[in-house]
Amino acid sequence: MNSLIDKYNIPGPRYTSYPTVPYWDETTFSPEKWKDSVIRSFHETNAEEGISIYIHLPFCEALCTFCACHKRITKQHSVEIPYLESVLKEWKLYLELFNERPKLKELHLGGGTPTFFSPQNLKTLLEGIFETVDIAEHPEFSFEGHPNNTTKEHLQTLYDLGFRRVSFGVQDYDPKVQKAINRIQPFENVKNVTEWAKEIGYRGISHDLVFGLPHQSWEAMEYTIRKTMELKPDRLAFYSYAHVPWIKGVGQRGFDENDLPSGEEKRRLYEDGKKLLQDLGYIEVGMDHFALEHDDLYQSLIHKKLHRNFMGYTSSNTQLMVGLGMSAISDSWYAFAQNVKTVEEYQTIVEEGKIPVVKGHVLNEEDLIVRRHILNLMCQLETTFNNTNSFPELENALDMLKEMENDGLVEISGHEIKITEAGRAFTRNVAMVFDLRMMRNKPETRIFSMTI
C-alpha cells in the first residue's frame, strides 16, 4: 500500500463537478447563456423531479485556519438582515425565468456558518422562499450547524420548517489539533447539539471528521472516532484535509507545513480510521462518506440513486441546482455559474436587478459524456462505455487504466470499468484518467489538493 501511496499521491480534483472550476471555459460563457440553460433545465425536469437550492451563508465569528471556503469573518450581526434580503432578491430574479411555480426537492444551507444567523432571521429567509414554491414529495432539507453556536431554538425552528438533516463540523477532539486550526470545540458542545437534534426528531444527523490535520496522530484520530461513536450519528463525512494555502483568503496559515502528517501517516489515518468505522457498523458510501444501514445515503447507494454535486453526496438527484448568495455555484447540468465572491459586490449587483454571476462554463457534447462517466465512478464506483465512437479518446483512457488494473485498483471488462475495494481510496485518481480538459492543459503550478 505504501508504494501505491507514493505512486498515486498527486494533486487532483474532488470532482463535485466536471469540468472542474479551474478548467471552466469562460470564453464561451455569458449570463444570457446561463439563463437559457436554467430555463431549459427547469422545463425539462421541474414537473417530475423538482429543483435544488443551495444558499451560501458566509459569515463566521472566527476564522478556522483549515478552511478553504468563501467566508466573511465578523462579530457584527447587523449584517444578517441586509444579506438575507439580497438572497431573496436574487431568488426573485430566478423566479422571473420560470413560467410556473418551482417544485422544491432539495434545500441546503451552507457556509460560512449558517447558525451565525438568528433562528428568526433564518425563518424569515426560508418562509420567503417557501411562499414561492411547491414542496416536492419527500423533500431533503439540510443545514450545517456549528456546535459552538447552534442553539436548541435553531434546531427546533428549522425542524418546524421541514428540515430533517443537520451536519455538525467536528474535525478533531484533540486540544493540540484544535488549537492549530483555531477550532476550540469541546465534546460537550457536540454532545448537546446532537442530543437536542435527536430529541426534536431529526432523522439524518451527520458529523464531519477531517484526517491529515496538523499535529494529528492515529491516537488522536482513534480518540475522535470513539468519542463520535458515543453519539452514534446516522452518517459521517471522513474528509481528507485539503492543504491549499496558495488560494487567496483560505487562512491556512495557523501552522507550518512540517506540522502536517506525511503521506504515509495520513494514509494510515484514513485506512485505520476507515477500518474502525466499519468495525463500528458504518458502511463506506462513495468517497469520504460513511453511513449506517438505515440512512438514506446508504439506501441510495444500494439502489444506485446516489448523486454528487457541489453540495457533495446526496440521496436526491435534481438536474437543476440554483445557488444563492455570495460565491454560490449553480448547476443546470448544461452549464455552471458562480456568483461574485465578496458580500458587497454581491449585494450591489443584486440591487441592480441582475443575477450576480461572475464566471461559468457551458458544457459541450464531450463535457456531458465525460461528466456522466466521472459521476458514475464517483457515485457507483463503475461505468460502462457502450458507444466508443462518441468518445474519441476512450482507448487512451483505457490504456492508462491498465496500469491501475495491474495495481489492483480497477477491474476492466471490455468497456466496463469497476473500482475495486482496494481502489476506493484512489477514486479521484481513477476519475482523473477521464478528465480530458486537465490532460490537455496540465497546470504548471499546484491548483488542487493531494488525492491521498
Side-chain angles (χ1 to χ4, degrees):
M1 174 62 78
N2 288 345
S3 61
L4 292 178
I5 292 169
D6 292 338
K7 183 175 182 178
Y8 291 106
N9 189 24
I10 59 175
R14 291 178 181 265
Y15 292 112
T16 51
S17 74
Y18 179 84
T20 56
V21 176
Y23 291 101
W24 286 1
D25 183 357
E26 296 180 47
T27 64
T28 62
F29 178 83
S30 69
E32 289 308 314
K33 288 182 179 178
W34 166 242
K35 291 177 187 177
D36 289 344
S37 78
V38 169
I39 293 168
R40 174 185 177 183
S41 189
F42 179 82
H43 291 312
E44 285 179 355
T45 63
N46 184 56
E48 292 184 9
E49 65 188 35
I51 71 169
S52 296
I53 296 177
Y54 169 77
I55 304 177
H56 190 71
L57 301 172
F59 302 111
C60 300
E61 289 194 344
L63 176 65
C64 301
T65 56
F66 71 96
C67 177
C69 299
H70 294 288
K71 64 272 181 184
R72 172 65 60 86
I73 309 303
T74 181
K75 294 184 184 294
Q76 302 301 316
H77 286 263
S78 58
V79 300
E80 293 186 32
I81 292 176
Y83 183 82
L84 297 181
E85 287 175 345
S86 294
V87 170
L88 288 173
K89 288 176 182 176
E90 184 188 5
W91 173 237
K92 185 177 179 181
L93 295 174
Y94 276 100
L95 288 172
E96 292 171 358
L97 301 179
F98 311 142
N99 62 3
E100 59 186 83
R101 280 174 71 90
K103 182 165 69 173
L104 182 59
K105 177 66 175 180
E106 185 178 28
L107 172 64
H108 183 70
L109 308 181
T113 306
T115 47
F116 172 96
F117 291 78
S118 72
Q120 182 56 52
N121 284 341
L122 290 174
K123 181 180 180 182
T124 300
L125 166 70
L126 294 164
E127 287 179 340
I129 300 284
F130 293 159
E131 68 184 16
T132 66
V133 302
D134 296 324
I135 306 298
E137 189 176 1
H138 306 302
E140 291 284 342
F141 294 171
S142 59
F143 73 98
E144 298 166 14
H146 193 316
N148 285 357
N149 67 11
T150 300
T151 64
K152 198 167 188 178
E153 186 184 358
H154 277 113
L155 291 162
Q156 188 66 61
T157 298
L158 291 171
Y159 184 88
D160 292 343
L161 289 165
F163 284 73
R164 295 295 180 268
R165 295 201 171 279
V166 56
S167 62
F168 296 117
V170 173
Q171 327 323 336
D172 190 292
Y173 285 121
D174 185 273
K176 188 175 182 181
V177 176
Q178 289 190 358
K179 182 177 179 182
I181 63 175
N182 196 35
R183 179 82 173 213
I184 309 301
Q185 185 171 267
F187 174 75
E188 283 303 312
N189 291 4
V190 183
K191 183 174 185 286
N192 286 338
V193 293
T194 301
E195 291 181 347
W196 290 339
K198 288 180 178 180
E199 289 170 12
I200 289 169
Y202 282 82
R203 57 175 172 76
I205 301 170
S206 177
H207 287 187
D208 294 348
L209 308 182
V210 178
F211 63 92
L213 291 170
H215 306 299
Q216 201 171 48
S217 64
W218 167 243
E219 290 72 25
M221 190 81 262
E222 182 181 17
Y223 175 78
T224 293
I225 292 174
R226 291 196 181 279
K227 291 299 287 184
T228 300
M229 289 309 99
E230 293 180 22
L231 305 177
K232 204 73 172 177
D234 302 286
R235 67 174 71 165
L236 285 162
F238 191 43
Y239 290 119
S240 168
Y241 165 57
H243 189 59
V244 288
W246 58 85
I247 296 179
K248 182 180 178 182
V250 299
Q252 294 182 348
R253 289 171 179 80
F255 42 86
D256 187 88
E257 295 265 352
N258 296 322
D259 296 329
L260 298 172
S262 67
E264 182 178 337
E265 292 169 331
K266 187 177 180 182
R267 191 76 243 148
R268 187 199 170 194
L269 293 174
Y270 172 74
E271 291 294 342
D272 289 359
K274 170 183 170 180
K275 184 178 185 305
L276 180 55
L277 287 169
Q278 291 174 328
D279 289 345
L280 293 167
Y282 287 83
I283 303 162
E284 190 170 16
V285 177
M287 182 186 72
D288 304 333
H289 284 65
F290 295 78
L292 297 175
E293 277 194 22
H294 69 263
D295 190 79
D296 285 351
L297 206 62
Y298 173 70
Q299 293 299 319
S300 295
L301 173 70
I302 61 175
H303 292 108
K304 294 189 178 296
K305 293 182 178 180
L306 191 66
H307 185 54
R308 185 168 174 82
N309 56 28
F310 287 105
M311 295 184 281
Y313 284 107
T314 171
S315 53
S316 295
N317 184 353
T318 64
Q319 183 169 299
L320 176 60
M321 184 185 80
V322 176
L324 303 175
M326 176 269 276
S327 82
I329 297 179
S330 299
D331 177 1
S332 68
W333 184 260
Y334 303 109
F336 302 119
Q338 183 170 25
N339 284 350
V340 294
K341 297 180 182 179
T342 68
V343 173
E344 293 79 8
E345 189 178 9
Y346 167 74
Q347 292 177 316
T348 298
I349 294 174
V350 170
E351 285 298 323
E352 294 171 352
K354 301 174 185 175
I355 293 177
V357 297
V358 67
K359 66 178 180 180
H361 178 89
V362 178
L363 283 78
N364 60 29
E365 183 179 357
E366 180 188 88
D367 290 335
L368 291 168
I369 294 170
V370 175
R371 181 182 190 184
R372 173 56 64 191
H373 290 301
I374 287 180
L375 194 60
N376 289 343
L377 290 167
M378 298 300 292
C379 294
Q380 312 303 337
L381 301 174
E382 62 183 50
T383 195
T384 302
F385 295 90
N386 296 319
N387 182 2
T388 58
N389 294 327
S390 67
F391 191 51
E393 295 174 74
L394 169 63
E395 298 304 330
N396 291 339
L398 291 176
D399 287 342
M400 292 172 67
L401 283 171
K402 289 292 184 184
E403 190 169 356
M404 290 186 174
E405 184 178 39
N406 293 336
D407 288 332
L409 306 184
V410 298
E411 295 175 350
I412 303 173
S413 177
H415 286 137
E416 182 180 47
I417 298 100
K418 289 186 177 182
I419 297 174
T420 65
E421 186 62 31
R424 275 179 173 267
F426 303 93
T427 299
R428 291 165 70 182
N429 298 81
V430 178
M432 285 168 66
V433 170
F434 300 92
D435 192 335
L436 297 185
R437 287 187 177 268
M438 185 169 65
M439 282 196 290
R440 292 168 185 155
N441 301 281
K442 291 192 175 180
E444 296 179 1
T445 58
R446 282 275 304 277
I447 58 175
F448 298 114
S449 63
M450 303 299 280
T451 57
I452 310 299

